[in-house]
Amino acid sequence: MGLRRVLEPAGVLPQAAWRLDASPEIAADEVRIAVQRLNLDAASFRQLAEKHGGDGAKVRAEVAEIIETRGKMHNPVTGSGGMLIGVVEAVGSESPLGLKSGDRVATLVSLTLTPLKITDGLAKWDGRSEQIPTEGTAILFGRSVVGVLPDDLEPELALAVYDVCGAPALTDRVVREYDGSVTVAVLGGAGKSGSLSLAAARLAGARTVAVVRDENEAATVRGLADAIAIADARDPVAVAEAVGTPVTITVVCVDVPGCEHGAILATEAGGTVIFFSMATSFPAAALGAEGLAADVTMIIGNGYLPGHAEFAVDLVRRVPAVRQLFESRVAGH
Amino acid sequence: MGLRRVLEPAGVLPQAAWRLDASPEIAADEVRIAVQRLNLDAASFRQLAEKHGGDGAKVRAEVAEIIETRGKMHNPVTGSGGMLIGVVEAVGSESPLGLKSGDRVATLVSLTLTPLKITDGLAKWDGRSEQIPTEGTAILFGRSVVGVLPDDLEPELALAVYDVCGAPALTDRVVREYDGSVTVAVLGGAGKSGSLSLAAARLAGARTVAVVRDENEAATVRGLADAIAIADARDPVAVAEAVGTPVTITVVCVDVPGCEHGAILATEAGGTVIFFSMATSFPAAALGAEGLAADVTMIIGNGYLPGHAEFAVDLVRRVPAVRQLFESRVAGH
């Protein structure tokens, strides 16, 4: 679990630590990765970009400062991280991960718990996109989760898919837990996790509603959802009106705060809300449902399910609209 | 839903609002309560008491200031509120709540969304306990949830039970969703929501483990759980070791931050963690499970389920150890 990498406070797991030891020497159960590219969590990148008014140089300086100070890319405001890709450089004699030097891999655990050392000062990044081409080292623990990169997808594309691969797998599971006709609304359906969740819900047999911000986003999801509703996800009444008849399951994939109440209002009694946005407020969700007397099950989106990476990559292969959305998002940066 | 009471920001629900209009004049679908007693959420009271080093006068001044500024008791740091009891004073002609003037009631929605005006400056409260005897007015909306106080329980006791009544009802529901032999660990088993959750889990057929802080707390829960484990809930490795074989369901009722990872580690693959503490961090839970490759369902404790208040009161009546724990807690203040 990487306990030996925790510098402060003592006794917590690496994710909860303020500071990790990111030194490149590995223990017997560790693996060292030569880092090639980081993918910042969307909520984290948005917070940094807004804080610095879109000034890429300042965003870059702050990301470098966070990594240097904390020994990991763990945004202290949003609490979120991201993922990385790279090449296996050294494998400890007792590592259970089954990797060998030279494997091209993506980490499937958050950067918030991955010891990370950058050696190029992020010089190849302009601070204006979530993906950071860079150099340095990262450490995997015995209990880490890692995916070997697929041959048929560009590494940038695979990284973007892996970053959100928990969402479609969990959406699929929850849809299959309900009997009969299931309707799924996805707030932020035009985003990465949102489009994958829409595709997963439809393939699991649900009728799908994409809730998007404007006509531009609506054009992006055409063909991906059975219905499209335009609303500001932070406006609970607008969301409920746009969705219409309450749905069985609502999936929240909008990376801005304040989307809890619209999701709850849009969901029928006995239904489920799955929160995938790292901008979700625990008290706002808990007290919002209580205040609305809403008998809905609210799930914290877990970034890990067995087979989640393969499941998401398979969706990208099978659903051209999803692949197109990811390709344009990756190219757009 | 009380939208007309929202002063700022516009368009959000009362729970998300910074400031509510707490004026005592009611609209046709509203009800006015003459307030008798507030019960602060445990995480909120703890935060205030710690901030002021236990100085009751300063705690009282800050609570009065929050209510005056926000038009509701909504702790801006913890995001949590509490409940209140009082007597129905006026009922709007279109109120669907079925109340009449003179009914003694407890609100079952959070204080974070209840318009509240205090008229005695909290003068009867010493700032040293969660329960505040006071005077003033509170407003209920058409969609609020309210419980008439039971005849056979002291109002202070009923208020303490109602404050946490979502926890046992949801624990009961989740236990019954699993087939076969179910084990439930409750972090904070010696507290209000914890003891009720232990009782509910046992009555639903589960084997129960109370995880408590020390020998004093262990003595409190003797008879209430099938096993007792002593550990600091913020120390994930200690919690996992104290619980031993991972359990089917872990319920988190400890009102301090940092209990997410211990709960996840203590739960078996395919199991469920229910977070009832308002001190829960959404990112710490989501990224912690991912980082541990833990295939657990994580539920945000919803304070509302149909019949939750009656269910909790029934537990207090049926389980003497729970009643004793509540009585000593209420008397202790």
Side-chain angles (χ1 to χ4, degrees):
Chain A
M1 301 186 292
L3 288 171
R4 82 169 69 80
R5 292 280 180 172
V6 174
L7 293 179
E8 60 176 300
V12 302
L13 299 184
Q15 200 279 323
W18 173 251
R19 197 157 63 91
L20 298 180
D21 170 8
S23 57
E25 294 73 34
I26 57 170
D29 65 346
E30 294 181 336
V31 168
R32 184 171 69 242
I33 310 275
V35 176
Q36 296 178 316
R37 185 175 286 263
L38 311 178
N39 188 95
L40 297 185
D41 169 70
S44 174
F45 178 70
R46 175 189 289 264
Q47 184 269 329
L48 290 164
E50 286 179 356
K51 174 179 173 186
H52 296 295
D55 183 330
K58 287 186 180 163
V59 171
R60 181 175 60 195
E62 181 161 354
V63 171
E65 163 84 19
I66 290 170
I67 297 170
E68 175 69 25
T69 308
R70 305 195 68 173
K72 58 177 176 173
M73 180 51 215
H74 188 167
N75 182 323
V77 176
T78 61
S80 58
M83 328 280 292
L84 64 81
I85 53 176
V87 177
V88 174
E89 201 172 64
V91 179
S93 58
E94 293 167 22
S95 168
L97 298 181
L99 296 171
K100 59 182 192 306
S101 289
D103 282 348
R104 300 205 62 194
V105 295
T107 60
L108 298 177
V109 291
S110 171
L111 289 180
T112 62
L113 55 95
T114 304
L116 178 65
K117 204 176 174 70
I118 293 302
T119 53
D120 70 345
L122 306 181
K124 285 179 281 188
W125 183 45
D126 64 4
R128 295 174 173 279
S129 69
E130 294 164 11
Q131 292 212 359
I132 310 179
T134 183
E135 286 165 30
T137 54
I139 306 297
L140 300 178
F141 314 130
R143 201 166 161 169
S144 294
V145 187
V146 69
V148 174
L149 289 173
D151 294 332
D152 59 335
L153 296 183
E154 290 295 314
E156 295 80 359
L157 185 61
L159 180 57
V161 173
Y162 282 172
D163 184 37
V164 295
C165 65
L170 186 52
T171 300
D172 173 77
R173 180 189 282 183
V174 174
V175 169
R176 292 179 194 279
E177 281 169 359
Y178 282 90
D179 296 325
S181 107
V182 173
T183 311
V184 175
V186 178
L187 306 192
K192 293 194 299 178
S193 57
S195 60
L196 281 170
S197 298
L198 281 171
R202 182 184 263 182
L203 286 172
R207 181 177 174 276
T208 56
V209 183
V211 181
V212 297
R213 194 169 37 189
D214 52 32
E215 286 294 344
N216 278 346
E217 288 198 351
T220 310
V221 293
R222 208 140 282 153
L224 202 51
D226 299 311
I228 299 173
I230 295 178
D232 181 339
R234 295 164 300 184
D235 182 337
V237 177
V239 169
E241 284 174 357
V243 170
T245 308
V247 296
T248 324
I249 299 163
T250 300
V251 185
V252 181
C253 296
V254 180
D255 59 355
V256 296
C259 302
E260 301 85 1
H261 296 169
I264 292 165
L265 273 182
T267 309
E268 68 185 14
T272 298
V273 181
I274 314 175
F275 291 101
F276 271 107
S277 164
M278 283 301 151
T280 303
S281 157
F282 183 92
L287 299 175
E290 180 190 284
L292 292 164
D295 180 19
V296 294
T297 299
M298 295 184 289
I299 296 182
I300 297 174
N302 181 346
Y304 175 76
L305 271 87
H308 62 337
E310 299 73 14
F311 184 83
V313 166
D314 186 52
L315 284 175
V316 172
R317 292 194 187 110
R318 286 170 67 183
V319 185
V322 172
R323 181 161 191 155
Q324 204 173 347
L325 191 149
F326 271 78
E327 284 176 343
S328 76
R329 177 123 178 197
V330 168
H333 290 316
Chain B
M1 301 186 293
L3 287 171
R4 81 169 70 80
R5 292 279 180 174
V6 174
L7 292 179
E8 59 176 299
V12 302
L13 298 185
Q15 201 280 324
W18 173 252
R19 197 157 63 92
L20 298 180
D21 170 8
S23 57
E25 295 74 33
I26 57 169
D29 65 345
E30 293 181 336
V31 167
R32 184 170 69 242
I33 311 276
V35 176
Q36 295 177 319
R37 186 174 284 266
L38 310 178
N39 188 95
L40 297 185
D41 169 69
S44 174
F45 177 69
R46 175 189 289 265
Q47 184 269 329
L48 291 164
E50 286 179 357
K51 173 179 173 185
H52 296 295
D55 183 331
K58 286 186 181 165
V59 172
R60 181 175 59 195
E62 179 160 355
V63 170
E65 162 84 19
I66 290 172
I67 297 171
E68 174 69 26
T69 308
R70 305 196 66 173
K72 57 177 177 174
M73 181 50 214
H74 187 166
N75 182 323
V77 176
T78 61
S80 58
M83 328 279 295
L84 63 83
I85 53 177
V87 177
V88 174
E89 202 172 64
V91 179
S93 57
E94 293 167 21
S95 169
L97 298 179
L99 296 172
K100 59 182 192 304
S101 289
D103 282 348
R104 299 204 64 193
V105 295
T107 60
L108 298 177
V109 291
S110 171
L111 289 180
T112 62
L113 54 97
T114 304
L116 179 65
K117 203 177 176 70
I118 294 302
T119 53
D120 71 344
L122 306 180
K124 285 179 281 188
W125 182 46
D126 64 4
R128 294 173 175 280
S129 68
E130 294 164 10
Q131 292 211 359
I132 310 179
T134 184
E135 286 165 28
T137 54
I139 306 296
L140 300 178
F141 314 130
R143 199 165 162 169
S144 295
V145 187
V146 68
V148 174
L149 289 173
D151 294 332
D152 60 335
L153 296 183
E154 290 295 312
E156 294 80 359
L157 186 60
L159 180 58
V161 174
Y162 281 173
D163 184 37
V164 295
C165 65
L170 185 52
T171 300
D172 172 78
R173 181 188 281 183
V174 174
V175 169
R176 292 178 194 278
E177 281 169 359
Y178 282 90
D179 296 325
S181 109
V182 173
T183 312
V184 175
V186 178
L187 307 192
K192 293 194 299 178
S193 56
S195 61
L196 282 170
S197 299
L198 281 171
R202 183 185 263 181
L203 286 172
R207 182 177 174 275
T208 57
V209 184
V211 181
V212 297
R213 195 169 36 187
D214 51 32
E215 286 295 344
N216 278 346
E217 287 198 351
T220 311
V221 293
R222 207 140 283 151
L224 201 52
D226 299 311
I228 298 173
I230 295 179
D232 181 339
R234 295 164 300 183
D235 182 336
V237 176
V239 168
E241 283 173 358
V243 170
T245 308
V247 297
T248 323
I249 299 162
T250 301
V251 186
V252 181
C253 297
V254 180
D255 59 356
V256 295
C259 302
E260 300 86 0
H261 296 169
I264 292 165
L265 273 182
T267 309
E268 67 185 15
T272 298
V273 182
I274 314 176
F275 292 101
F276 272 106
S277 165
M278 282 300 152
T280 302
S281 157
F282 183 92
L287 299 175
E290 180 189 284
L292 292 164
D295 181 19
V296 294
T297 299
M298 296 184 288
I299 296 182
I300 297 174
N302 181 347
Y304 175 76
L305 270 88
H308 62 338
E310 299 73 14
F311 183 83
V313 166
D314 186 53
L315 285 175
V316 172
R317 291 193 187 110
R318 287 170 69 183
V319 185
V322 172
R323 181 163 191 153
Q324 207 173 344
L325 191 149
F326 271 78
E327 283 176 344
S328 77
R329 177 123 178 196
V330 168
H333 290 316

